[in-house]
Amino acid sequence: ATLRGRQVEITYIVLHSSSPLPKPDPVVHLVGGPGGSAVGSLNYRTDIFQTLRRSRDIVLFDQRGTQYSSRLDCNPYFQVLSAQVEDDPELASQLEELAAEDEQLTPSILQTQIAMSACARGMSRLGVDLSQYNSVNNVRDITALVSALGYQHFNLYGISYGTRLALTLMRDGPYVSAATSPVTLRSVVLDSAYPVQINNYENTTNLNEEVIQQLFEDCTRDAVCRTEYPNLEARFGALLTRLDESPIAVDEPIELFFSGQVVRQVTPAIARLLVSRFLDGEPWFAPYFPRIIHELEAGETATLALALSGQLRDDSDPTAPADPAALPTEERRSQVEVQWREEARREVRQRPGYSWLNNAYDLASDLPEPIREEALLELNLINAAPRTAGTLKQYVEAYFTEEPATTLLADLEALSPDQVRAAFEVISDLNNSGSTEGMHYSVECHEEFAFNDRERAQAIYEGLSFPLLGTAGWTVTNQIEAVCAVWPSGRAAAIENEPVASDVPTLVMAGAYDSQTPPSWNQLALTPLTNAHYVAFPNTGHGAIAYSHCAQQVSAAFIDAPTQPPDSDCTQTLQPRFVGLEEPLN
């Protein structure tokens, strides 16, 4: 068949099974975001899928528009605008005045809107059609990849947005074209489900509330907690109100262990952090939360300080195998990753493609303003264009004349196709922020935000028991609204807001403390599925497989026998054991 139109490249990695006789159907991992990079987090993905890999290949790939697959990278525009605002107080003042004219805007949201609008124009100059970066086309890419790798049957493991993508494939079926061989979807794991029918931006304010309510339920089931911390829900509500009216000063500034940010007083924002970052993210934290609430009522911050600074941190897994070599330690993973990245960077710097790109950057930096800034921005964006020598040639001819152009074009002609590709790979690594903004907003504006209603969002907020836990959600809603107004990704058909029904064997895995895709979202995804199993993981946050060996075992057992309910007895071991008032702190 003849392929027409613009093409995107999909970068993939196959982690071959450690079994001498692997099963013929691989697990294809769908990463979240949207905008996340599976290839860019290789060590992490290798770790969490090691149990599944014992019997099957694991296929990792970067979805179109993400870091290593024709990336829609807008980060350079954020960097330029941020530097301009920092260097020009008058510009900063103008942004504040403009933001003050609209109650839904802040200077930060306005900066995001300006940067994304400029990025959209830059992408347009490169010939990028932003309406082509969405879940429906991602499904076509998945089918093409599985077919090209020679597999006939495959399994899906989606996390977060990856579950929404999996549901889209379950609805539409593997895409069939004259260029691909037929493939069959065998089973699906939806880990932290983001159902198609959920109106995400109507629910940004209620996510923390569902998580804290789960903590209160866990407390009432625990003998120590319900005895030593009675009426915890009402007490927490009163504490939030008090913190809003009169924040509590800490004895000494506390440095957050994960960011270095310094905390000098306890406010509702710190309470939100404890729910959204600690309950969802740090399994060791939940047992201490009731004690922290109790101490804060008395104006004490001792246990809170130990938690925020990481001194109570314990990454042990109660469901891990007894053999310490069975699961790599965090320190070992970190050492391997640092060594791998250093060796990779040394190897890349020796490639002619790297030298050509480095020379192009130096020459672009010497151009006069304003052409200099435009040339550097476009060089950062060029990964969204086809990864060919022709793309680099067009760039040179657009920004350089006479001798610089002659030298660059001559050196470019001497590069092999692989060396040209190496130059693009270097660009992919330049702005490694973990997620790609362009792809994130292309998907969310196209198939999610358009179906949301601000009045419904307001009604949900007004019905909260703890509205102070939800106020930050308005920032998320207001920002997506501002960006979607300038990001031309189009609007999806109504089917992208309707429940997905399917009889494909499916396992839905929900973390009890997941504040991004809470258990209620997982139940929404489960309901229309006629051949599905549901497993809830106590004291677990977003992306259950990353929290415990139990989650890895359950998902592997299901994929081995998707027509049978998986054994989930190990989840009982994950229940939090709450710390009493007199219990010493380790």
Side-chain angles (χ1 to χ4, degrees), residues 139-140 143 154 169-177 182-185:
V139 164
R140 297 180 177 185
T143 305
F154 67 105
L169 195 151
M170 293 164 71
R171 180 194 69 202
D172 297 349
Y175 181 71
V176 178
S177 74
V183 293
T184 302
L185 179 59

Side-chain angles (χ1 to χ4, degrees), residues 151-487:
Y151 298 110
Q152 294 181 336
H153 307 275
F154 67 105
N155 310 278
L156 290 177
Y157 195 111
I159 299 177
S160 195
Y161 164 71
T163 67
R164 186 182 183 115
L165 184 52
L167 287 163
T168 304
L169 195 151
M170 293 164 71
R171 180 194 69 202
D172 297 349
Y175 181 71
V176 178
S177 74
T180 60
S181 301
V183 293
T184 302
L185 179 59
R186 177 178 173 271
S187 72
V188 177
V189 177
L190 304 178
D191 184 340
S192 307
Y194 181 2
V196 173
Q197 72 269 34
I198 194 73
N199 289 333
N200 183 9
Y201 298 101
E202 295 173 9
N203 290 276
T204 55
T205 62
N206 67 356
L207 300 176
N208 286 338
E209 180 150 316
E210 184 168 343
V211 170
I212 195 67
Q213 292 286 5
Q214 181 62 57
L215 177 83
F216 298 147
E217 291 179 18
D218 290 343
C219 179
T220 59
R221 286 195 293 264
D222 182 89
V224 170
C225 195
R226 69 172 176 266
T227 301
E228 299 199 26
Y229 310 107
N231 305 314
L232 193 61
E233 180 175 349
R235 293 165 62 186
F236 179 72
L239 177 63
L240 274 179
T241 301
R242 175 186 165 189
L243 293 177
D244 189 43
E245 296 171 349
S246 180
I248 299 174
V250 299
D251 296 333
E252 294 182 4
I254 306 168
E255 185 174 303
L256 296 179
F257 76 90
F258 56 86
S259 69
Q261 181 182 350
V262 175
V263 174
R264 291 183 169 83
Q265 60 180 2
V266 185
T267 65
I270 297 301
R272 289 194 294 270
L273 180 73
L274 294 178
V275 177
S276 65
R277 174 60 178 80
F278 280 80
L279 278 181
D280 181 358
E282 304 295 339
W284 54 267
F285 174 73
Y288 299 98
F289 202 177
R291 178 164 168 166
I292 289 171
I293 294 171
H294 178 89
E295 290 181 359
L296 286 174
E297 288 177 312
E300 300 173 3
T301 60
T303 304
L304 174 69
L306 291 173
L308 293 181
S309 61
Q311 296 181 65
L312 297 177
R313 190 175 185 184
D314 179 4
D315 293 327
S316 62
D317 177 1
T319 67
D323 178 8
L327 286 175
T329 65
E330 182 175 347
E331 181 180 1
R332 189 188 311 165
R333 289 197 302 269
S334 178
Q335 291 173 348
V336 170
E337 183 169 358
V338 168
Q339 181 180 359
W340 177 79
R341 290 190 180 280
E342 287 179 352
E343 292 179 358
R345 288 191 183 102
R346 280 197 296 270
E347 195 274 333
V348 167
R349 290 190 183 103
Q350 296 173 1
R351 298 180 183 180
Y354 177 90
S355 299
W356 185 93
L357 181 68
N358 197 43
N359 190 29
Y361 259 100
D362 289 343
L363 292 171
S365 299
D366 292 336
L367 292 171
E369 292 290 5
I371 195 69
R372 172 184 176 275
E373 184 175 294
E374 181 182 326
L376 289 172
L377 280 171
E378 189 142 325
L379 192 54
N380 276 276
L381 291 179
I382 207 167
N383 241 333
R387 294 184 170 193
T388 64
T391 295
L392 297 179
K393 181 181 178 182
Q394 290 175 4
Y395 172 79
V396 171
E397 292 174 343
Y399 291 104
F400 299 100
T401 59
E402 299 177 353
E403 174 47 34
T406 302
T407 301
L408 284 172
L409 291 174
D411 292 346
L412 179 61
E413 189 174 347
L415 296 179
S416 69
D418 286 343
Q419 291 168 344
V420 169
R421 189 174 301 277
F424 282 95
E425 290 172 359
V426 173
I427 298 172
S428 295
D429 284 327
L430 288 176
N431 299 298
N432 186 10
S433 57
S435 183
T436 300
E437 302 89 350
M439 182 55 180
H440 177 83
Y441 287 115
S442 288
V443 172
E444 293 293 272
C445 294
H446 177 76
E447 60 199 53
E448 175 55 34
F449 178 73
F451 300 104
N452 285 247
D453 181 84
R454 180 170 282 275
E455 290 186 2
R456 287 199 297 266
Q458 182 65 36
I460 290 172
Y461 175 70
E462 291 174 355
L464 296 178
S465 299
F466 307 112
L468 287 170
L469 285 183
T471 52
W474 284 116
T475 301
V476 177
T477 298
N478 293 339
Q479 180 160 301
I480 191 75
E481 183 172 350
V483 172
C484 291
V486 299
W487 191 255

